[in-house]
Amino acid sequence: MIKREHYISQVRPFYNSDLIKIITGIRRCGKSVIMEQIINEIKEITDNIIYLNFEDKRITANITNADELISYVEKNQKEGKCYLFFDEIQMLDGWQDACKTLRLYNNSLFITGSNSKLLSSEFTKELSGRFVAFQIRPFVFKEIVEYCNELEIDISISDYLVWGGFPKRFEFELKDAQIRYLNDLDDTIVINDLIRRYKIRKESLFKNLVNYILRSNSRIFSATSIRDYIAQNNIGCSVNTIIKYLGYLEEAYIIEKIKQYSTKTKKELSFYSKIYNSDVSFNSIRCINNRFDLTHNLENIVYNELIYMGYELFVYNNNGKEIDFLAAKNNKQYYIQVAYSIAEDKAYQREFNAYKNIDNLSQKIIITNDDIDYSTSVIRHIKLKDFLMMNEL
């Protein structure tokens, strides 16, 4: 497995800190591998390390609460600073209390989890600044290229646009095996985990909503519009139920939302959001007859890559014309349009006209899968194949 230096370099300055290092992200995105790579670095200076995986029945059968975890650490740690690594810690009852106690006694504590409740307001308020958090994501294209070179297999941008970046899938040579893995992963983390974790009684409604949302990535929604769509199938539900179910998907890092920024009000509009999948495979495995949604998946891929690069993103409402992203970083702003192709005149005009009346103080960018450079004196065209290998805009 490749070393994911992009993330490890962010954690490394805190190796010896008494701050709790919280590593979060969707299941199977590579959190455990990153934790293992951190452990290997720390092994170079000490063997006073305790690692526990709370998805392992051998662990959870013997450590069932905070007191038992604290007792286990006290019995097994050595003299001096001890480095504690707890994988999927949210499986343990009272894990918050154990973490708050253990960090006080010359321990450096690392925890992972696939639910954003690790960062719940109750926990973070009690810690009061005594933690740092890092979100891990499925592979971006640069990481895929590096991993596939390690595996000595070929990879294409088209494959990435359809099947995304969950690391494990690249270990399967046959595409049918990859798709089966992704379907099983979807059943586990999208459906079964959430229905069980939140005791969802209206399973049919929940599955209907999940399928609709994950097939409709890179689109602006309101809870009301989703409720109205669900109602077309003669399934009744309230706006509050929709909001609650969307919250479950967000907590599990399955979807992410960005708000709309209005040029008229000069502020965020909280009642409309654009929803992106954490991985485009969630869309593709729901497609029939290989009719993949490459247009919206491409925008979703650009979203994932920009987040990886560290940009804060909004949807920009330019007097009724939607600009896909307003990206901000280091006091610089970029207006970004994404299209599969602008070779056709109609598409060219639509994408370029979205920038009408926007000044040239911020850079205006169009990202497409075209091989021809369509840059003008005021708008920069970036080919997708070049964008995917960039670290900065």
PDB file of all heavy atoms in Angstrom, residues 209-223:
ATOM      1  N   LEU A 209     -35.009   7.095  -0.480  1.00  0.00           N
ATOM      2  CA  LEU A 209     -34.320   8.393  -0.412  1.00  0.00           C
ATOM      3  C   LEU A 209     -32.829   8.235  -0.724  1.00  0.00           C
ATOM      4  O   LEU A 209     -32.259   9.032  -1.480  1.00  0.00           O
ATOM      5  CB  LEU A 209     -34.510   9.004   0.967  1.00  0.00           C
ATOM      6  CG  LEU A 209     -33.798  10.349   1.192  1.00  0.00           C
ATOM      7  CD1 LEU A 209     -34.677  11.292   1.995  1.00  0.00           C
ATOM      8  CD2 LEU A 209     -32.469  10.156   1.939  1.00  0.00           C
ATOM      9  N   VAL A 210     -32.200   7.208  -0.144  1.00  0.00           N
ATOM     10  CA  VAL A 210     -30.771   6.999  -0.373  1.00  0.00           C
ATOM     11  C   VAL A 210     -30.482   6.796  -1.855  1.00  0.00           C
ATOM     12  O   VAL A 210     -29.557   7.401  -2.411  1.00  0.00           O
ATOM     13  CB  VAL A 210     -30.267   5.794   0.447  1.00  0.00           C
ATOM     14  CG1 VAL A 210     -28.887   5.357  -0.021  1.00  0.00           C
ATOM     15  CG2 VAL A 210     -30.226   6.142   1.929  1.00  0.00           C
ATOM     16  N   ASN A 211     -31.267   5.954  -2.518  1.00  0.00           N
ATOM     17  CA  ASN A 211     -31.049   5.711  -3.937  1.00  0.00           C
ATOM     18  C   ASN A 211     -31.217   6.987  -4.758  1.00  0.00           C
ATOM     19  O   ASN A 211     -30.432   7.253  -5.677  1.00  0.00           O
ATOM     20  CB  ASN A 211     -32.014   4.633  -4.443  1.00  0.00           C
ATOM     21  CG  ASN A 211     -31.641   3.245  -3.964  1.00  0.00           C
ATOM     22  OD1 ASN A 211     -30.464   2.950  -3.748  1.00  0.00           O
ATOM     23  ND2 ASN A 211     -32.623   2.385  -3.780  1.00  0.00           N
ATOM     24  N   TYR A 212     -32.211   7.774  -4.422  1.00  0.00           N
ATOM     25  CA  TYR A 212     -32.454   9.028  -5.140  1.00  0.00           C
ATOM     26  C   TYR A 212     -31.294  10.004  -4.948  1.00  0.00           C
ATOM     27  O   TYR A 212     -30.775  10.580  -5.918  1.00  0.00           O
ATOM     28  CB  TYR A 212     -33.761   9.653  -4.652  1.00  0.00           C
ATOM     29  CG  TYR A 212     -34.030  11.027  -5.212  1.00  0.00           C
ATOM     30  CD1 TYR A 212     -34.123  11.240  -6.584  1.00  0.00           C
ATOM     31  CD2 TYR A 212     -34.210  12.122  -4.358  1.00  0.00           C
ATOM     32  CE1 TYR A 212     -34.387  12.504  -7.094  1.00  0.00           C
ATOM     33  CE2 TYR A 212     -34.471  13.377  -4.857  1.00  0.00           C
ATOM     34  CZ  TYR A 212     -34.557  13.569  -6.232  1.00  0.00           C
ATOM     35  OH  TYR A 212     -34.807  14.832  -6.729  1.00  0.00           O
ATOM     36  N   ILE A 213     -30.840  10.174  -3.718  1.00  0.00           N
ATOM     37  CA  ILE A 213     -29.770  11.127  -3.424  1.00  0.00           C
ATOM     38  C   ILE A 213     -28.459  10.705  -4.080  1.00  0.00           C
ATOM     39  O   ILE A 213     -27.767  11.516  -4.714  1.00  0.00           O
ATOM     40  CB  ILE A 213     -29.585  11.282  -1.894  1.00  0.00           C
ATOM     41  CG1 ILE A 213     -30.798  11.989  -1.282  1.00  0.00           C
ATOM     42  CG2 ILE A 213     -28.302  12.042  -1.575  1.00  0.00           C
ATOM     43  CD1 ILE A 213     -31.024  13.403  -1.779  1.00  0.00           C
ATOM     44  N   LEU A 214     -28.106   9.436  -3.958  1.00  0.00           N
ATOM     45  CA  LEU A 214     -26.811   8.992  -4.468  1.00  0.00           C
ATOM     46  C   LEU A 214     -26.789   8.913  -5.993  1.00  0.00           C
ATOM     47  O   LEU A 214     -25.717   8.983  -6.594  1.00  0.00           O
ATOM     48  CB  LEU A 214     -26.431   7.649  -3.845  1.00  0.00           C
ATOM     49  CG  LEU A 214     -26.216   7.682  -2.332  1.00  0.00           C
ATOM     50  CD1 LEU A 214     -25.808   6.315  -1.808  1.00  0.00           C
ATOM     51  CD2 LEU A 214     -25.177   8.735  -1.931  1.00  0.00           C
ATOM     52  N   ARG A 215     -27.953   8.788  -6.622  1.00  0.00           N
ATOM     53  CA  ARG A 215     -28.030   8.854  -8.085  1.00  0.00           C
ATOM     54  C   ARG A 215     -28.030  10.296  -8.578  1.00  0.00           C
ATOM     55  O   ARG A 215     -27.860  10.544  -9.766  1.00  0.00           O
ATOM     56  CB  ARG A 215     -29.306   8.179  -8.608  1.00  0.00           C
ATOM     57  CG  ARG A 215     -29.281   6.688  -8.686  1.00  0.00           C
ATOM     58  CD  ARG A 215     -30.397   6.181  -9.618  1.00  0.00           C
ATOM     59  NE  ARG A 215     -31.687   6.815  -9.350  1.00  0.00           N
ATOM     60  CZ  ARG A 215     -32.627   6.295  -8.573  1.00  0.00           C
ATOM     61  NH1 ARG A 215     -32.422   5.138  -7.968  1.00  0.00           N
ATOM     62  NH2 ARG A 215     -33.769   6.924  -8.405  1.00  0.00           N
ATOM     63  N   SER A 216     -28.246  11.231  -7.672  1.00  0.00           N
ATOM     64  CA  SER A 216     -28.449  12.632  -8.067  1.00  0.00           C
ATOM     65  C   SER A 216     -27.355  13.535  -7.524  1.00  0.00           C
ATOM     66  O   SER A 216     -27.599  14.676  -7.124  1.00  0.00           O
ATOM     67  CB  SER A 216     -29.816  13.115  -7.562  1.00  0.00           C
ATOM     68  OG  SER A 216     -30.846  12.252  -7.982  1.00  0.00           O
ATOM     69  N   ASN A 217     -26.123  13.038  -7.499  1.00  0.00           N
ATOM     70  CA  ASN A 217     -25.011  13.836  -6.988  1.00  0.00           C
ATOM     71  C   ASN A 217     -24.773  15.063  -7.871  1.00  0.00           C
ATOM     72  O   ASN A 217     -25.192  15.129  -9.023  1.00  0.00           O
ATOM     73  CB  ASN A 217     -23.741  12.983  -6.901  1.00  0.00           C
ATOM     74  CG  ASN A 217     -23.399  12.279  -8.200  1.00  0.00           C
ATOM     75  OD1 ASN A 217     -24.274  11.926  -8.979  1.00  0.00           O
ATOM     76  ND2 ASN A 217     -22.123  12.058  -8.439  1.00  0.00           N
ATOM     77  N   SER A 218     -24.108  16.050  -7.285  1.00  0.00           N
ATOM     78  CA  SER A 218     -23.748  17.289  -7.990  1.00  0.00           C
ATOM     79  C   SER A 218     -24.977  18.086  -8.428  1.00  0.00           C
ATOM     80  O   SER A 218     -24.980  18.728  -9.473  1.00  0.00           O
ATOM     81  CB  SER A 218     -22.866  16.993  -9.210  1.00  0.00           C
ATOM     82  OG  SER A 218     -21.783  16.169  -8.883  1.00  0.00           O
ATOM     83  N   ARG A 219     -26.011  18.055  -7.600  1.00  0.00           N
ATOM     84  CA  ARG A 219     -27.216  18.819  -7.885  1.00  0.00           C
ATOM     85  C   ARG A 219     -27.646  19.591  -6.640  1.00  0.00           C
ATOM     86  O   ARG A 219     -27.370  19.186  -5.526  1.00  0.00           O
ATOM     87  CB  ARG A 219     -28.352  17.898  -8.328  1.00  0.00           C
ATOM     88  CG  ARG A 219     -28.099  17.208  -9.676  1.00  0.00           C
ATOM     89  CD  ARG A 219     -29.127  16.108  -9.894  1.00  0.00           C
ATOM     90  NE  ARG A 219     -29.051  15.481 -11.192  1.00  0.00           N
ATOM     91  CZ  ARG A 219     -28.252  14.460 -11.497  1.00  0.00           C
ATOM     92  NH1 ARG A 219     -27.419  13.984 -10.579  1.00  0.00           N
ATOM     93  NH2 ARG A 219     -28.267  13.925 -12.700  1.00  0.00           N
ATOM     94  N   ILE A 220     -28.338  20.715  -6.870  1.00  0.00           N
ATOM     95  CA  ILE A 220     -28.836  21.531  -5.759  1.00  0.00           C
ATOM     96  C   ILE A 220     -30.185  20.977  -5.296  1.00  0.00           C
ATOM     97  O   ILE A 220     -31.057  20.669  -6.108  1.00  0.00           O
ATOM     98  CB  ILE A 220     -28.970  23.003  -6.179  1.00  0.00           C
ATOM     99  CG1 ILE A 220     -27.579  23.615  -6.346  1.00  0.00           C
ATOM    100  CG2 ILE A 220     -29.773  23.793  -5.158  1.00  0.00           C
ATOM    101  CD1 ILE A 220     -27.582  25.064  -6.779  1.00  0.00           C
ATOM    102  N   PHE A 221     -30.329  20.842  -3.979  1.00  0.00           N
ATOM    103  CA  PHE A 221     -31.546  20.315  -3.387  1.00  0.00           C
ATOM    104  C   PHE A 221     -32.006  21.206  -2.242  1.00  0.00           C
ATOM    105  O   PHE A 221     -31.209  21.920  -1.629  1.00  0.00           O
ATOM    106  CB  PHE A 221     -31.303  18.918  -2.797  1.00  0.00           C
ATOM    107  CG  PHE A 221     -31.116  17.832  -3.808  1.00  0.00           C
ATOM    108  CD1 PHE A 221     -29.859  17.294  -4.026  1.00  0.00           C
ATOM    109  CD2 PHE A 221     -32.185  17.339  -4.522  1.00  0.00           C
ATOM    110  CE1 PHE A 221     -29.672  16.286  -4.936  1.00  0.00           C
ATOM    111  CE2 PHE A 221     -32.010  16.325  -5.447  1.00  0.00           C
ATOM    112  CZ  PHE A 221     -30.752  15.801  -5.656  1.00  0.00           C
ATOM    113  N   SER A 222     -33.273  21.081  -1.946  1.00  0.00           N
ATOM    114  CA  SER A 222     -33.791  21.489  -0.648  1.00  0.00           C
ATOM    115  C   SER A 222     -34.513  20.283  -0.076  1.00  0.00           C
ATOM    116  O   SER A 222     -34.899  19.367  -0.815  1.00  0.00           O
ATOM    117  CB  SER A 222     -34.769  22.660  -0.780  1.00  0.00           C
ATOM    118  OG  SER A 222     -35.959  22.243  -1.443  1.00  0.00           O
ATOM    119  N   ALA A 223     -34.720  20.274   1.216  1.00  0.00           N
ATOM    120  CA  ALA A 223     -35.444  19.154   1.829  1.00  0.00           C
ATOM    121  C   ALA A 223     -36.842  19.048   1.258  1.00  0.00           C
ATOM    122  O   ALA A 223     -37.387  17.952   1.074  1.00  0.00           O
ATOM    123  CB  ALA A 223     -35.487  19.332   3.346  1.00  0.00           C
TER     124      ALA A 223
END
